[in-house]
Amino acid sequence: NHFPIDLYTGSDTSGLPKVHNRGFAKTLTEMPIIFHESKINLNITSKAIRSGIPLRVFDIMACEGFVLSNYQPELAEFFEAGADFDYYSNQDELLEKTDYYLRHTNVRKEIAHNAFEKISTEYNYLKRFDELLQIAFS
């Protein structure tokens, strides 16, 4: 009711008449562009998932997209809220932060860039593979 929303899904969204369902996006060709070009990428974790970081968050950050997520404690273990991403705790806070980040493009882009830099340096295949080898042979 407050902001335009595009949703990429094959699910029925007829119960969400103000949400623009764009259907499926191709994983390797369309999704990176969508993540990068979207002003805000919402990570709304399923209620059944009580912990962990969804792989989608890493995908978004690797495309230099801005992530606004529901609170997940593990996000704060690996990333800094307000510097690499942001989170909301309730619907009112989601609306407030969405409004703020839509009005503050430079802040939003700086946060997305910070996350991209962190992903590029700390969470790349070479670094992870080296850590796995260290564990395996220690």
Side-chain angles (χ1 to χ4, degrees):
N1 290 328
H2 303 279
F3 307 101
I5 297 176
D6 289 334
L7 182 62
Y8 293 83
T9 183
S11 299
D12 177 22
T13 57
S14 59
L16 304 168
K18 294 190 177 187
V19 171
H20 184 227
N21 186 339
R22 295 198 170 260
F24 289 110
K26 294 177 184 171
T27 303
L28 298 177
T29 56
E30 295 174 339
M31 284 176 45
I33 296 167
I34 293 165
F35 293 154
H36 181 76
E37 296 298 322
S38 294
K39 292 179 181 175
I40 297 175
N41 292 278
L42 291 176
N43 174 57
I44 303 172
T45 307
S46 167
K47 290 181 182 183
I49 301 173
R50 297 195 176 157
S51 68
I53 302 173
L55 182 56
R56 182 72 68 230
V57 169
F58 285 94
D59 292 342
I60 295 165
M61 290 177 172
C63 296
E64 205 169 0
F66 176 77
V67 176
L68 181 58
S69 179
N70 60 288
Y71 179 75
Q72 291 288 103
E74 291 80 6
L75 275 170
E77 290 178 29
F78 294 92
F79 303 100
E80 185 179 343
D84 303 317
F85 78 105
D86 209 345
Y87 69 89
Y88 62 91
S89 299
N90 57 52
Q91 186 173 344
D92 289 337
E93 192 173 27
L94 170 61
L95 294 173
E96 289 170 14
K97 288 189 176 190
T98 299
D99 181 59
Y100 174 82
Y101 287 116
L102 288 175
R103 288 186 295 106
H104 294 88
T105 302
N106 290 340
V107 174
R108 186 180 71 239
K109 287 184 175 185
E110 181 179 340
I111 291 171
H113 183 74
N114 291 343
F116 172 77
E117 289 294 327
K118 186 172 278 185
I119 290 289
S120 298
T121 59
E122 300 296 322
Y123 300 101
N124 61 58
Y125 285 113
L126 291 175
K127 187 161 186 162
R128 292 292 151 206
F129 189 67
D130 185 52
E131 289 175 7
L132 288 172
L133 289 174
Q134 294 294 330
I135 292 168
F137 293 106
S138 63

